[in-house]
Amino acid sequence: MGRWEPGARERLVVAAVDLFTEQGYDATTVAQIAERAGVTKSTFFRHFPDKRELLVAGQETLSRLLTEGIADAPADASPLEAVAAGLERASSAMGPMSRELAPRLKAAVAASAELQERDALKSVSLAAAMTTALVARGVPDPTAALAGELGLLAFKRGYAQWSEDDRDGKDELSGYTLAALDELRTASASLG
């Protein structure tokens, strides 16, 4: 087993998702994940505090990219235009590996109450990050919270559609998340 091989973090995520899909989350051990990834247990723990954290490995990066995109949106951008800028920035970090893992990750989460709870906490955190970024732009709290929730829903809907569509396609995630945001904007206007 290579101790300092490049890509260990990504290999650990892939190994975990594969094992969670094959034998279930509860039956999978850290030792099995490390072995499948070709690293030591200590390497696993250098990257992740526990096996739950594997499935939210990119959350900090995703949150940072969403908030940076919102912060960098033009000063005259509406709250949803700023959210769209955040979605575009965050979507740029999702590549072929994310697309390939998505269906297996979805299945693993669906099969485990613990992972469902962790996924829900991730969602709350991402919506809160977008809300905070919008408030920092001067958007009133209720409007920022609603725009943050719509941004989260657009990301989740767009990501789900992107991951289910043709994997050989070269289409970018941002097209899906922005289309989902437009659909939600239209839907919310009809609530009146």
Side-chain angles (χ1 to χ4, degrees):
M1 286 189 272
R3 184 170 173 189
W4 296 105
E5 290 183 46
R9 185 176 179 87
E10 293 79 12
R11 287 196 322 275
L12 285 164
V13 171
V14 171
V17 170
D18 287 346
L19 286 165
F20 294 164
T21 303
E22 291 167 16
Q23 62 191 33
Y25 173 78
D26 291 331
T28 300
T29 66
V30 168
Q32 291 171 324
I33 296 167
E35 181 179 335
R36 173 82 59 102
V39 299
T40 64
K41 272 179 64 175
S42 61
T43 298
F44 175 94
F45 288 115
R46 272 196 293 281
H47 291 282
F48 302 101
D50 59 45
K51 69 180 183 179
R52 285 179 311 167
E53 295 302 309
L54 283 158
L55 299 184
V56 292
Q59 181 178 347
E60 289 174 14
T61 300
L62 183 59
S63 183
R64 179 181 49 79
L65 291 171
L66 285 166
T67 58
E68 285 175 358
I70 291 170
D72 293 344
D76 63 344
S78 72
L80 285 182
E81 289 169 342
V83 166
L87 290 173
E88 281 188 278
R89 176 90 47 102
S91 295
S92 68
M94 301 291 202
M97 183 177 124
S98 296
R99 194 174 201 174
E100 181 185 324
L101 287 178
R104 291 181 285 170
L105 184 57
K106 180 180 177 183
V109 170
S112 168
E114 186 174 348
L115 294 181
Q116 290 170 21
E117 180 181 317
R118 188 66 185 100
D119 189 55
L121 291 172
K122 173 186 173 184
S123 294
V124 168
S125 176
L126 291 174
M130 285 188 277
T131 300
T132 300
L134 289 164
V135 167
R137 289 178 58 90
V139 176
D141 283 333
T143 304
L146 181 57
E149 291 292 337
L150 285 174
L152 172 66
L153 188 54
F155 182 82
K156 291 174 82 169
R157 290 171 61 99
Y159 183 80
Q161 184 65 45
W162 175 70
S163 66
E164 292 167 7
D165 275 0
D166 180 18
R167 292 205 188 0
D168 293 331
K170 301 287 186 214
D171 46 345
E172 299 283 326
L173 173 58
S174 63
Y176 288 87
T177 58
L178 295 177
L181 185 61
D182 284 342
E183 289 173 7
L184 293 168
R185 182 187 330 235
T186 300
S188 65
S190 71
L191 294 174

